[in-house]
Every structure is written in structure tokens, then in C-alpha cells.
Amino acid sequence: INPVIMSDEDQEISGAEVYARALKDQGIEYVFGIVGVPVIEVAMAIQQVGLKFIGMRNEQSAAYAAGAIGYLTGRPGACLVVSGPGLVHALGGMANAMVNCWPMVVLGGSSDEDQQEMGAFQEFPQVETCRLYSKFTARPSSIAIVPEIVEKAVRTSIYGRPGACYVDIPGNFVNASVRLGDCRYSFEFPVYPPIDSGSMCPAPPRSLADPNSIAAAAKMLHEAKRPLIVVGKGAAYSRGEQELRRMIEDHNLPFLPTPMGKGVIPDDHELCVSAARSRALSNCDVVMLIGARLNWQMHFGRPPRYNKNVKVIQVDICPEEFHNNVESSVALCGNVPDVINQLLEHSKKSFRGVPWKLSKKSDWWKFLQEKIDDNAIKTKALASNKSAPLSYYAVYDVIQQYLPQDCIIISEGANTMDISRTMIPNYLPRHRLDAGTFGTMGVGLGFAIAASLYSLETAKKTGKPPQKVVCIQGDSAFGFSGMELETVCRYNLPLVCVVVNNNGIYAGGNREFWEAIKMSGDIPNSAPPTFLSPECRYEKLIEAFGGEGHLCATAEDLDKSFKRCISRSNEQASLINVMIDLTSDRKEQEFSWLTRSKM
């Protein structure tokens, strides 16, 4: 691979163009951001070299979008922000990407080199600050070294456990000129199959687990009376769906997806035990975590959520993840699809080509199926009540009947998100985005914009119609990023937004109660902290930007509106504001996702 950017080495180009060309060299396709001093010229150069620049309304949403596009494509999205406050606003997206293990690169304008420590405009210790939120940070010492720094940032963001990286843009670099032949990479890249046809960055190395550990894991699964497979978003990100499905089906193993592990194997698969989640976790004798971590979402792997004698098999790309919170019985360090293939090959050799299978008539399967059937009856009863005001279950029961199987779902908000995991199935991997491991509120429309762009690009490459994208948010969650509807309409993105409106955070009050609070003359001391203005007309916001808005309070209205909006989403973005029962809540659960430790 030729390490020189262009053959005409004597040509002089601006620092802005050096940054833009460096991003393009590394296969970056999307750059999200908000321009201002000193990065306006950088954004223009980004467009001139052929990259897609998406101008957002808030740096947080831009950073969330960059991380989400990295998860969906396996290639980091970039986020371009201004100095000081602009970079600070982007830290939320960087932290979210780090905790979720998504690749992204943030480029931040900063003060001129000769004004360091002088109180320059928006001067801030950006490199030092970003070290807490990223895998790699750098302030290039010269324009000539920028391509090398960008290459390292992109490579680091995708190698090993993915995450965020930061590259500084000193203000005086932007318009300064540099001789093209002086822009360099410090080494010739080895010849590996590139991850992207236009990229100079080689694909991440693929690692395998220790064969002895593979044998131990296979033996443990074979001998288990009550095995359980937990499918995490690491399995989705690593594109391990085919191998994992084969392993689970070969052995009749019950599997439980984490929220963003949904769809790696379809939710309607007969071996999925999501509806018996609590029973499966607390009674399994061997649990195999595939790209999932024993953090708060998995109750740390400890009693009473798990059997105190449970054996844990972990499959992870990151060795530091093993033995966290509980001791791993077997640690399989490697790339998920490759490790699963190792297990399949070992099983084939050990059982002479006939894989062992857990009988569907076993006591374990009967025990799980009983709970699955019981929960299905309860959920159906909740969803069947369509009287106004609507419940969450009634809302989702209407929506799900119009969702195609390849629809990308974005879900955000407390009960809004949790109940959607139960009521809205996923059939394909990487087709659900929500608050994730960091539990981040405010991600909704940033994620939805990334998903819509991904849908349009996929359609362009395959010649098929764009996948539908539906963003379902609570009214509080919507408030974090509602102005991004203007971004959605400006770029004519194929998106349907649904705001499930209960007048508050968790729940608010009705209009009569709110009027009484206002009459008291002391709203700050009288209004409960969870209350928002009742019956807000959020659908009017998208109408202001040229989209289509609907207000719904009955099942009939929602049915009509959602059917229309989903059918026309490729023509016009829309928002449906659904007023629901203020007392609506999730059905009684043995324990919820968010729990305190009970030692």
C-alpha cells in the first residue's frame, strides 16, 4: 500500500484537508458534528473529499450517533466538535461508546499552539480530559504527522475491545499549508485483507481460545443438567450470529439475549427463554456468557439472582473481563465466531459427528416452558385491554403488528424501554439500540439518525428498499434530544418517532392537578420532581420542521396513525404522540433489570 496521500508531492494543501484525507484513508464514511471556530474549514474539507458530514443540533447527539454507526457498521463513526464546551458536550457520547464497547473517533478543535496556557478562546485541557473517556488520545505535534495519528486512532478504536478515541485539532493547523509529500505514515502497512475496500487500516486480528479451555467448556456444557446461554451485544458486534445459532440448535440449548443481544438469534426462536428470564438465571447450573458481562444488567453473577454453585463459562475478546465479580469456571478469550467454531469442531470430533442434544422433554426444559407459557398468558391479557387511557402493553400491541422483521428499533426511557424489550421482538442482529450498558438517557434521536443513515446506505448497496427505522421514547427521554427532529427532516431521513407520553419522568400528573399546583403560586416547592407539563403536544414540533405529526389517545387512533406513518416513512419523517394512562407500569416481575445487590 502506498503510504503517500497523493503522487504530486510538491502540492500544498491545508491542514483541514490533511485531517479530511486522513479520515477517508482509514475508511471513515460518516462524520457527525456541529461546526464553529476553528473547525468550519475541516467540515468543508470532509465533504470535499467525499465523506458524509451530518450537521447536528447538539454535540451529545452527534457523539451518540457516531458511536451507534460504529456499532452498526463495525467501522468507527467520527464526531467533529469545536473547542472547550463543544468537546465537553461530546464526552457523554465518548463515555457511552467506551462502556458499550463501540468504535468511534472524536476530533476536537482546540486553541492555537502559540496561545497555550495564555487563556485562549475556549482553552481547555482536552487531551487530558479525554483520556478518562477513551482508549487513545493525541494532540499532533505537526500537520505532517496527522495521518499517522488518525490511523492509530481508527485502528485503536476497533482493535481488541472497541471504544472511543480522540484526536486534537490545534486551531493554527486548520488553515496552515503543508507540502503534500511531507505528510507521512511512519511505516508501510502490512498486507492484510482490509476491513473496508477503501481503507488503509487492516482488519482487526482474530484470536482463538486455548484448546484445553475449549475442551473443558464443551465437557461442562455436556454434563450440565440446567445449562443456559446468555447472548450479549458483543456477539452481535462480532457478527457471530450464524455460528452461535448453529451451536444452540445443535445442542437444544436455552438462550437468553441481553437487550442489545436480541435478534442475534430471532426472539421467536423456540429455544429463546426471555419470557422465563428470572427463572432461567436463578436455576441454571452452568451459564455460558457470549459477549456479555457480569455487570448490573446480569446481576453481577451473584446470589440470589443466581444459584450460588453455578458454573460460569465466559467468551470475551478482553481477558481483563474474566473473573470479574465471580470466578469464571472456564475463560475462553477470543473472537466470538471463531471461539464458537472451535467449540463446534471439538463437539464434532468428540461425539463422532453427532452432537449431543439437551432433550426438550427434560425437566429443565419443562420447568422453563411452564414459566414461558404463564408469562405469555399474562402479557397477552395486559395487551388485550385497549380501553383508553392506554397502557404501555396496549400501545406496543398495536405497533408491533405493523413492524417488518428487518425494522431497526430504537427504544429509550424507563418503562418505555423495558416493556418494549418484552413486547417488540427482534429477528435480526444489530437491529435494536437502547440505553445500553451505561443506561444513557438522551441517546434516542442520535441513535435513530445513525440507524436511518445506515438503512439508506444499505439500501443503496443492495438495491433493496430502506429498512424501516422506528424510535420509541418516553416523553422525558424525548426531551433530551427533541431538536434533532430538525436534523431528521433536513436530511429527509426515513424515521417514525413514537413518544409514549405519561406527563413525566416515570409518571407525571393530570391537567387538573397541574392547574392546582400553578394556582398555589409556588411551583418549585409544589411540583413533584417527576412531573412534566401535562399533555404536551410534541407532535407539533416535527410539523414545524416539515414532518408529519399525530396525536393519539385511543387504540383506534394509534392503529390508523402508525399504519400510515410506517407505510410512508421513506417519503416523510413523522412523530406520533401517544397519551397513556399515568398509572401504567410493567407487570409484576420476580426482579427487574436494575436491582440492588442483596448480599
Side-chain angles (χ1 to χ4, degrees), residues 499-557:
V499 176
V500 185
N501 191 345
N502 63 0
N503 297 350
I505 302 170
Y506 302 109
N510 60 30
R511 182 167 293 281
E512 291 75 18
F513 185 65
W514 185 246
E515 291 298 328
I517 289 174
K518 289 197 295 183
M519 288 292 291
S520 73
D522 190 9
I523 295 176
N525 283 327
S526 302
T530 59
F531 276 33
L532 299 173
S533 298
E535 301 171 22
C536 278
R537 299 295 300 273
Y538 296 115
E539 79 283 358
K540 297 292 185 182
L541 189 59
I542 198 168
E543 290 176 359
F545 304 132
E548 181 175 329
H550 294 259
L551 175 66
C552 299
T554 68
E556 292 77 16
D557 288 344

Short mmCIF file of all heavy atoms in Angstrom, two decimals, residues 499-557:
data_model
loop_
_atom_site.label_atom_id
_atom_site.label_comp_id
_atom_site.label_asym_id
_atom_site.label_seq_id
_atom_site.Cartn_x
_atom_site.Cartn_y
_atom_site.Cartn_z
N VAL A 499 -43.67 8.94 20.70
CA VAL A 499 -43.47 9.42 22.07
C VAL A 499 -44.59 8.85 22.92
O VAL A 499 -45.77 9.15 22.70
CB VAL A 499 -43.48 10.96 22.14
CG1 VAL A 499 -43.37 11.43 23.59
CG2 VAL A 499 -42.34 11.54 21.30
N VAL A 500 -44.21 7.99 23.88
CA VAL A 500 -45.18 7.39 24.80
C VAL A 500 -45.27 8.34 26.00
O VAL A 500 -44.36 8.40 26.82
CB VAL A 500 -44.76 5.98 25.21
CG1 VAL A 500 -45.83 5.33 26.08
CG2 VAL A 500 -44.50 5.12 23.98
N ASN A 501 -46.37 9.07 26.08
CA ASN A 501 -46.45 10.27 26.91
C ASN A 501 -47.28 10.04 28.18
O ASN A 501 -48.49 9.87 28.12
CB ASN A 501 -47.06 11.39 26.06
CG ASN A 501 -46.96 12.75 26.73
OD1 ASN A 501 -46.69 12.86 27.91
ND2 ASN A 501 -47.18 13.78 25.93
N ASN A 502 -46.58 10.02 29.33
CA ASN A 502 -47.30 9.92 30.60
C ASN A 502 -47.06 11.14 31.49
O ASN A 502 -47.13 11.07 32.72
CB ASN A 502 -46.93 8.63 31.35
CG ASN A 502 -45.46 8.57 31.73
OD1 ASN A 502 -44.69 9.50 31.45
ND2 ASN A 502 -45.07 7.48 32.36
N ASN A 503 -46.71 12.25 30.85
CA ASN A 503 -46.61 13.54 31.52
C ASN A 503 -45.47 13.65 32.53
O ASN A 503 -45.52 14.51 33.41
CB ASN A 503 -47.92 13.90 32.25
CG ASN A 503 -49.09 14.08 31.29
OD1 ASN A 503 -48.90 14.11 30.08
ND2 ASN A 503 -50.30 14.18 31.83
N GLY A 504 -44.46 12.79 32.43
CA GLY A 504 -43.40 12.95 33.41
C GLY A 504 -42.31 11.92 33.33
O GLY A 504 -42.27 11.06 32.44
N ILE A 505 -41.41 11.98 34.28
CA ILE A 505 -40.32 11.02 34.45
C ILE A 505 -40.89 9.88 35.28
O ILE A 505 -41.24 10.08 36.45
CB ILE A 505 -39.11 11.66 35.14
CG1 ILE A 505 -38.62 12.87 34.33
CG2 ILE A 505 -37.99 10.65 35.33
CD1 ILE A 505 -37.59 13.71 35.05
N TYR A 506 -40.96 8.70 34.73
CA TYR A 506 -41.69 7.55 35.28
C TYR A 506 -43.20 7.81 35.17
O TYR A 506 -43.91 7.04 34.57
CB TYR A 506 -41.27 7.22 36.72
CG TYR A 506 -39.79 6.92 36.85
CD1 TYR A 506 -38.94 7.80 37.48
CD2 TYR A 506 -39.26 5.76 36.30
CE1 TYR A 506 -37.58 7.54 37.59
CE2 TYR A 506 -37.91 5.48 36.40
CZ TYR A 506 -37.06 6.38 37.03
OH TYR A 506 -35.72 6.12 37.12
N ALA A 507 -43.69 8.91 35.76
CA ALA A 507 -45.09 9.29 35.59
C ALA A 507 -45.30 10.68 36.15
O ALA A 507 -44.69 11.06 37.15
CB ALA A 507 -46.02 8.29 36.30
N GLY A 508 -46.16 11.44 35.49
CA GLY A 508 -46.48 12.78 35.96
C GLY A 508 -47.90 12.84 36.49
O GLY A 508 -48.45 11.84 36.95
N GLY A 509 -48.51 14.02 36.42
CA GLY A 509 -49.87 14.18 36.92
C GLY A 509 -50.80 14.66 35.82
O GLY A 509 -50.36 15.04 34.74
N ASN A 510 -52.09 14.67 36.13
CA ASN A 510 -53.06 15.11 35.13
C ASN A 510 -53.17 16.63 35.12
O ASN A 510 -52.59 17.32 35.96
CB ASN A 510 -54.43 14.45 35.37
CG ASN A 510 -54.99 14.78 36.74
OD1 ASN A 510 -54.73 15.85 37.30
ND2 ASN A 510 -55.78 13.86 37.29
N ARG A 511 -53.94 17.15 34.16
CA ARG A 511 -54.01 18.59 33.99
C ARG A 511 -54.66 19.27 35.20
O ARG A 511 -54.24 20.36 35.61
CB ARG A 511 -54.80 18.91 32.71
CG ARG A 511 -54.89 20.41 32.43
CD ARG A 511 -55.38 20.68 31.02
NE ARG A 511 -54.41 20.26 30.02
CZ ARG A 511 -53.33 20.94 29.69
NH1 ARG A 511 -53.03 22.08 30.32
NH2 ARG A 511 -52.51 20.49 28.76
N GLU A 512 -55.65 18.65 35.80
CA GLU A 512 -56.32 19.26 36.94
C GLU A 512 -55.36 19.45 38.11
O GLU A 512 -55.33 20.51 38.76
CB GLU A 512 -57.52 18.40 37.38
CG GLU A 512 -58.68 18.38 36.40
CD GLU A 512 -58.40 17.53 35.16
OE1 GLU A 512 -57.48 16.70 35.21
OE2 GLU A 512 -59.10 17.72 34.15
N PHE A 513 -54.56 18.41 38.36
CA PHE A 513 -53.59 18.50 39.45
C PHE A 513 -52.54 19.58 39.15
O PHE A 513 -52.11 20.33 40.02
CB PHE A 513 -52.93 17.13 39.66
CG PHE A 513 -52.00 17.09 40.85
CD1 PHE A 513 -52.48 17.26 42.13
CD2 PHE A 513 -50.64 16.88 40.67
CE1 PHE A 513 -51.63 17.21 43.23
CE2 PHE A 513 -49.77 16.83 41.75
CZ PHE A 513 -50.28 17.00 43.04
N TRP A 514 -52.14 19.64 37.88
CA TRP A 514 -51.13 20.63 37.49
C TRP A 514 -51.66 22.05 37.63
O TRP A 514 -50.95 22.95 38.09
CB TRP A 514 -50.69 20.36 36.05
CG TRP A 514 -49.57 21.24 35.58
CD1 TRP A 514 -49.63 22.19 34.62
CD2 TRP A 514 -48.23 21.27 36.08
NE1 TRP A 514 -48.42 22.80 34.47
CE2 TRP A 514 -47.52 22.26 35.36
CE3 TRP A 514 -47.56 20.54 37.06
CZ2 TRP A 514 -46.19 22.55 35.57
CZ3 TRP A 514 -46.22 20.83 37.29
CH2 TRP A 514 -45.55 21.82 36.56
N GLU A 515 -52.92 22.26 37.29
CA GLU A 515 -53.51 23.58 37.45
C GLU A 515 -53.57 23.98 38.91
O GLU A 515 -53.36 25.15 39.27
CB GLU A 515 -54.92 23.61 36.84
CG GLU A 515 -54.95 23.50 35.32
CD GLU A 515 -54.24 24.66 34.63
OE1 GLU A 515 -54.25 25.77 35.17
OE2 GLU A 515 -53.64 24.43 33.55
N ALA A 516 -53.82 23.02 39.78
CA ALA A 516 -53.85 23.31 41.22
C ALA A 516 -52.47 23.71 41.72
O ALA A 516 -52.33 24.60 42.57
CB ALA A 516 -54.36 22.09 41.98
N ILE A 517 -51.44 23.05 41.20
CA ILE A 517 -50.07 23.40 41.57
C ILE A 517 -49.75 24.83 41.13
O ILE A 517 -49.17 25.62 41.89
CB ILE A 517 -49.06 22.40 40.95
CG1 ILE A 517 -49.17 21.04 41.64
CG2 ILE A 517 -47.63 22.92 41.03
CD1 ILE A 517 -48.33 19.95 41.01
N LYS A 518 -50.14 25.17 39.91
CA LYS A 518 -49.87 26.53 39.42
C LYS A 518 -50.62 27.58 40.25
O LYS A 518 -50.10 28.66 40.52
CB LYS A 518 -50.26 26.64 37.94
CG LYS A 518 -49.31 25.88 37.02
CD LYS A 518 -49.44 26.33 35.57
CE LYS A 518 -50.78 26.01 34.99
NZ LYS A 518 -50.87 26.39 33.55
N MET A 519 -51.82 27.25 40.67
CA MET A 519 -52.62 28.18 41.47
C MET A 519 -51.98 28.41 42.84
O MET A 519 -52.19 29.47 43.46
CB MET A 519 -54.03 27.63 41.65
CG MET A 519 -54.87 27.69 40.39
SD MET A 519 -55.29 29.38 39.90
CE MET A 519 -56.42 29.81 41.23
N SER A 520 -51.19 27.47 43.30
CA SER A 520 -50.54 27.63 44.60
C SER A 520 -49.53 28.76 44.59
O SER A 520 -49.16 29.30 45.64
CB SER A 520 -49.85 26.32 45.01
OG SER A 520 -48.65 26.12 44.24
N GLY A 521 -49.03 29.11 43.40
CA GLY A 521 -48.08 30.19 43.27
C GLY A 521 -46.66 29.82 43.66
O GLY A 521 -45.79 30.69 43.72
N ASP A 522 -46.43 28.56 43.93
CA ASP A 522 -45.09 28.14 44.36
C ASP A 522 -44.74 26.82 43.68
O ASP A 522 -44.62 25.78 44.34
CB ASP A 522 -45.04 28.00 45.88
CG ASP A 522 -43.61 27.81 46.40
OD1 ASP A 522 -42.67 27.96 45.59
OD2 ASP A 522 -43.45 27.50 47.59
N ILE A 523 -44.60 26.87 42.36
CA ILE A 523 -44.36 25.64 41.59
C ILE A 523 -43.07 24.92 42.02
O ILE A 523 -43.07 23.70 42.17
CB ILE A 523 -44.35 25.95 40.08
CG1 ILE A 523 -45.75 26.42 39.65
CG2 ILE A 523 -43.92 24.73 39.27
CD1 ILE A 523 -45.84 26.85 38.20
N PRO A 524 -41.93 25.62 42.22
CA PRO A 524 -40.70 24.89 42.58
C PRO A 524 -40.82 24.04 43.85
O PRO A 524 -40.17 23.00 43.96
CB PRO A 524 -39.68 26.01 42.77
CG PRO A 524 -40.17 27.12 41.90
CD PRO A 524 -41.66 27.05 42.02
N ASN A 525 -41.67 24.46 44.80
CA ASN A 525 -41.83 23.69 46.02
C ASN A 525 -43.02 22.75 45.98
O ASN A 525 -43.13 21.85 46.83
CB ASN A 525 -42.00 24.63 47.23
CG ASN A 525 -40.68 25.23 47.66
OD1 ASN A 525 -39.64 24.60 47.56
ND2 ASN A 525 -40.72 26.47 48.14
N SER A 526 -43.90 22.92 45.01
CA SER A 526 -45.13 22.13 44.97
C SER A 526 -45.12 21.03 43.92
O SER A 526 -45.76 19.99 44.11
CB SER A 526 -46.33 23.05 44.73
OG SER A 526 -46.43 24.04 45.73
N ALA A 527 -44.45 21.26 42.81
CA ALA A 527 -44.47 20.27 41.72
C ALA A 527 -43.51 19.13 42.04
O ALA A 527 -42.33 19.37 42.28
CB ALA A 527 -44.07 20.93 40.41
N PRO A 528 -43.99 17.90 42.04
CA PRO A 528 -43.09 16.76 42.25
C PRO A 528 -41.98 16.75 41.20
O PRO A 528 -42.22 17.13 40.03
CB PRO A 528 -44.02 15.56 42.09
CG PRO A 528 -45.38 16.08 42.43
CD PRO A 528 -45.40 17.49 41.92
N PRO A 529 -40.78 16.33 41.57
CA PRO A 529 -39.64 16.35 40.62
C PRO A 529 -39.86 15.52 39.37
O PRO A 529 -39.20 15.74 38.36
CB PRO A 529 -38.48 15.80 41.46
CG PRO A 529 -38.87 16.05 42.87
CD PRO A 529 -40.35 15.92 42.92
N THR A 530 -40.78 14.57 39.44
CA THR A 530 -41.02 13.70 38.28
C THR A 530 -42.00 14.31 37.28
O THR A 530 -42.20 13.74 36.20
CB THR A 530 -41.58 12.33 38.74
OG1 THR A 530 -42.81 12.56 39.44
CG2 THR A 530 -40.59 11.61 39.64
N PHE A 531 -42.61 15.45 37.61
CA PHE A 531 -43.67 15.98 36.76
C PHE A 531 -43.12 16.80 35.59
O PHE A 531 -42.18 17.56 35.73
CB PHE A 531 -44.61 16.88 37.58
CG PHE A 531 -45.68 16.13 38.32
CD1 PHE A 531 -45.43 14.86 38.82
CD2 PHE A 531 -46.93 16.69 38.53
CE1 PHE A 531 -46.40 14.16 39.51
CE2 PHE A 531 -47.91 15.99 39.21
CZ PHE A 531 -47.64 14.73 39.71
N LEU A 532 -43.76 16.63 34.43
CA LEU A 532 -43.55 17.50 33.27
C LEU A 532 -44.90 18.11 32.92
O LEU A 532 -45.95 17.67 33.40
CB LEU A 532 -43.00 16.70 32.08
CG LEU A 532 -41.65 16.01 32.29
CD1 LEU A 532 -41.32 15.13 31.09
CD2 LEU A 532 -40.56 17.03 32.54
N SER A 533 -44.88 19.13 32.08
CA SER A 533 -46.15 19.77 31.69
C SER A 533 -47.08 18.72 31.09
O SER A 533 -46.68 17.95 30.21
CB SER A 533 -45.89 20.87 30.66
OG SER A 533 -45.08 21.89 31.21
N PRO A 534 -48.31 18.67 31.55
CA PRO A 534 -49.23 17.62 31.08
C PRO A 534 -49.67 17.84 29.64
O PRO A 534 -49.82 18.96 29.17
CB PRO A 534 -50.41 17.74 32.05
CG PRO A 534 -50.39 19.15 32.52
CD PRO A 534 -48.93 19.53 32.57
N GLU A 535 -49.84 16.72 28.96
CA GLU A 535 -50.41 16.69 27.61
C GLU A 535 -49.66 17.58 26.63
O GLU A 535 -50.24 18.29 25.80
CB GLU A 535 -51.90 17.07 27.65
CG GLU A 535 -52.72 16.15 28.54
CD GLU A 535 -54.14 16.64 28.76
OE1 GLU A 535 -54.62 17.43 27.92
OE2 GLU A 535 -54.75 16.25 29.76
N CYS A 536 -48.33 17.57 26.72
CA CYS A 536 -47.51 18.34 25.78
C CYS A 536 -47.77 17.88 24.35
O CYS A 536 -47.82 16.67 24.08
CB CYS A 536 -46.03 18.18 26.12
SG CYS A 536 -45.47 19.26 27.43
N ARG A 537 -47.84 18.81 23.43
CA ARG A 537 -48.13 18.49 22.04
C ARG A 537 -46.82 18.32 21.26
O ARG A 537 -46.46 19.09 20.38
CB ARG A 537 -49.00 19.58 21.42
CG ARG A 537 -50.35 19.74 22.11
CD ARG A 537 -51.24 18.50 21.94
NE ARG A 537 -51.51 18.21 20.56
CZ ARG A 537 -52.52 18.75 19.86
NH1 ARG A 537 -53.36 19.58 20.46
NH2 ARG A 537 -52.70 18.44 18.60
N TYR A 538 -46.11 17.25 21.56
CA TYR A 538 -44.81 17.02 20.94
C TYR A 538 -44.90 16.84 19.43
O TYR A 538 -43.93 17.11 18.71
CB TYR A 538 -44.15 15.79 21.57
CG TYR A 538 -43.84 15.96 23.04
CD1 TYR A 538 -44.48 15.17 23.99
CD2 TYR A 538 -42.92 16.90 23.47
CE1 TYR A 538 -44.20 15.31 25.34
CE2 TYR A 538 -42.63 17.05 24.82
CZ TYR A 538 -43.28 16.25 25.76
OH TYR A 538 -43.01 16.41 27.09
N GLU A 539 -46.05 16.39 18.95
CA GLU A 539 -46.19 16.17 17.50
C GLU A 539 -46.10 17.48 16.72
O GLU A 539 -45.77 17.48 15.53
CB GLU A 539 -47.49 15.43 17.20
CG GLU A 539 -48.75 16.26 17.21
CD GLU A 539 -49.27 16.60 18.61
OE1 GLU A 539 -48.65 16.13 19.59
OE2 GLU A 539 -50.30 17.30 18.72
N LYS A 540 -46.38 18.60 17.40
CA LYS A 540 -46.30 19.90 16.73
C LYS A 540 -44.85 20.27 16.38
O LYS A 540 -44.61 21.04 15.44
CB LYS A 540 -46.90 21.00 17.61
CG LYS A 540 -48.38 20.83 17.92
CD LYS A 540 -49.23 21.02 16.68
CE LYS A 540 -50.71 20.97 17.00
NZ LYS A 540 -51.55 21.10 15.78
N LEU A 541 -43.90 19.71 17.14
CA LEU A 541 -42.50 20.05 16.90
C LEU A 541 -42.04 19.56 15.54
O LEU A 541 -41.41 20.31 14.78
CB LEU A 541 -41.63 19.44 18.01
CG LEU A 541 -40.16 19.86 18.06
CD1 LEU A 541 -40.04 21.37 18.21
CD2 LEU A 541 -39.45 19.16 19.21
N ILE A 542 -42.38 18.33 15.18
CA ILE A 542 -41.93 17.83 13.88
C ILE A 542 -42.68 18.54 12.74
O ILE A 542 -42.13 18.73 11.65
CB ILE A 542 -42.09 16.30 13.78
CG1 ILE A 542 -41.22 15.75 12.63
CG2 ILE A 542 -43.55 15.88 13.61
CD1 ILE A 542 -41.07 14.26 12.61
N GLU A 543 -43.91 18.95 13.00
CA GLU A 543 -44.65 19.69 11.97
C GLU A 543 -43.95 21.02 11.67
O GLU A 543 -43.95 21.49 10.52
CB GLU A 543 -46.08 19.94 12.44
CG GLU A 543 -46.93 18.68 12.50
CD GLU A 543 -48.32 18.94 13.06
OE1 GLU A 543 -48.61 20.10 13.42
OE2 GLU A 543 -49.12 17.98 13.14
N ALA A 544 -43.32 21.62 12.68
CA ALA A 544 -42.60 22.87 12.46
C ALA A 544 -41.43 22.70 11.52
O ALA A 544 -40.99 23.67 10.87
CB ALA A 544 -42.12 23.43 13.80
N PHE A 545 -40.92 21.49 11.40
CA PHE A 545 -39.76 21.23 10.54
C PHE A 545 -40.13 20.58 9.22
O PHE A 545 -39.26 20.21 8.44
CB PHE A 545 -38.76 20.33 11.28
CG PHE A 545 -38.33 20.88 12.62
CD1 PHE A 545 -38.33 20.08 13.75
CD2 PHE A 545 -37.93 22.20 12.74
CE1 PHE A 545 -37.94 20.59 14.98
CE2 PHE A 545 -37.54 22.72 13.97
CZ PHE A 545 -37.55 21.91 15.10
N GLY A 546 -41.43 20.41 8.97
CA GLY A 546 -41.87 19.85 7.71
C GLY A 546 -42.24 18.39 7.75
O GLY A 546 -42.54 17.79 6.71
N GLY A 547 -42.22 17.79 8.94
CA GLY A 547 -42.63 16.39 9.08
C GLY A 547 -44.11 16.28 9.37
O GLY A 547 -44.86 17.26 9.37
N GLU A 548 -44.54 15.07 9.65
CA GLU A 548 -45.95 14.78 9.88
C GLU A 548 -46.16 14.41 11.34
O GLU A 548 -45.45 13.55 11.88
CB GLU A 548 -46.41 13.63 8.98
CG GLU A 548 -47.87 13.27 9.13
CD GLU A 548 -48.31 12.21 8.12
OE1 GLU A 548 -47.75 12.17 7.01
OE2 GLU A 548 -49.20 11.41 8.46
N GLY A 549 -47.13 15.05 12.00
CA GLY A 549 -47.40 14.79 13.40
C GLY A 549 -48.79 14.23 13.64
O GLY A 549 -49.74 14.57 12.93
N HIS A 550 -48.89 13.34 14.66
CA HIS A 550 -50.18 12.76 15.03
C HIS A 550 -50.31 12.75 16.54
O HIS A 550 -49.35 12.44 17.25
CB HIS A 550 -50.29 11.31 14.53
CG HIS A 550 -50.32 11.17 13.04
ND1 HIS A 550 -51.47 10.97 12.32
CD2 HIS A 550 -49.31 11.22 12.13
CE1 HIS A 550 -51.18 10.88 11.02
NE2 HIS A 550 -49.87 11.03 10.89
N LEU A 551 -51.49 13.06 17.04
CA LEU A 551 -51.81 12.93 18.47
C LEU A 551 -52.81 11.79 18.61
O LEU A 551 -53.85 11.78 17.94
CB LEU A 551 -52.40 14.22 19.01
CG LEU A 551 -52.88 14.18 20.46
CD1 LEU A 551 -51.71 13.98 21.42
CD2 LEU A 551 -53.65 15.46 20.81
N CYS A 552 -52.50 10.83 19.49
CA CYS A 552 -53.36 9.67 19.66
C CYS A 552 -53.66 9.43 21.14
O CYS A 552 -52.77 9.58 21.99
CB CYS A 552 -52.71 8.41 19.08
SG CYS A 552 -52.36 8.50 17.32
N ALA A 553 -54.89 9.06 21.41
CA ALA A 553 -55.28 8.73 22.79
C ALA A 553 -56.01 7.40 22.85
O ALA A 553 -56.23 6.87 23.94
CB ALA A 553 -56.16 9.83 23.37
N THR A 554 -56.40 6.84 21.71
CA THR A 554 -57.11 5.56 21.68
C THR A 554 -56.36 4.57 20.80
O THR A 554 -55.54 4.95 19.96
CB THR A 554 -58.53 5.73 21.11
OG1 THR A 554 -58.44 6.08 19.71
CG2 THR A 554 -59.29 6.81 21.86
N ALA A 555 -56.68 3.31 20.98
CA ALA A 555 -56.06 2.25 20.18
C ALA A 555 -56.41 2.41 18.70
O ALA A 555 -55.58 2.17 17.82
CB ALA A 555 -56.49 0.88 20.68
N GLU A 556 -57.64 2.84 18.43
CA GLU A 556 -58.07 3.02 17.05
C GLU A 556 -57.27 4.14 16.38
O GLU A 556 -56.83 4.00 15.22
CB GLU A 556 -59.57 3.35 16.99
CG GLU A 556 -60.49 2.22 17.42
CD GLU A 556 -60.54 2.03 18.93
OE1 GLU A 556 -60.12 2.96 19.67
OE2 GLU A 556 -60.99 0.95 19.38
N ASP A 557 -57.08 5.25 17.09
CA ASP A 557 -56.29 6.36 16.54
C ASP A 557 -54.85 5.93 16.29
O ASP A 557 -54.26 6.26 15.25
CB ASP A 557 -56.31 7.55 17.50
CG ASP A 557 -57.65 8.26 17.55
OD1 ASP A 557 -58.46 8.03 16.63
OD2 ASP A 557 -57.88 9.02 18.51
#
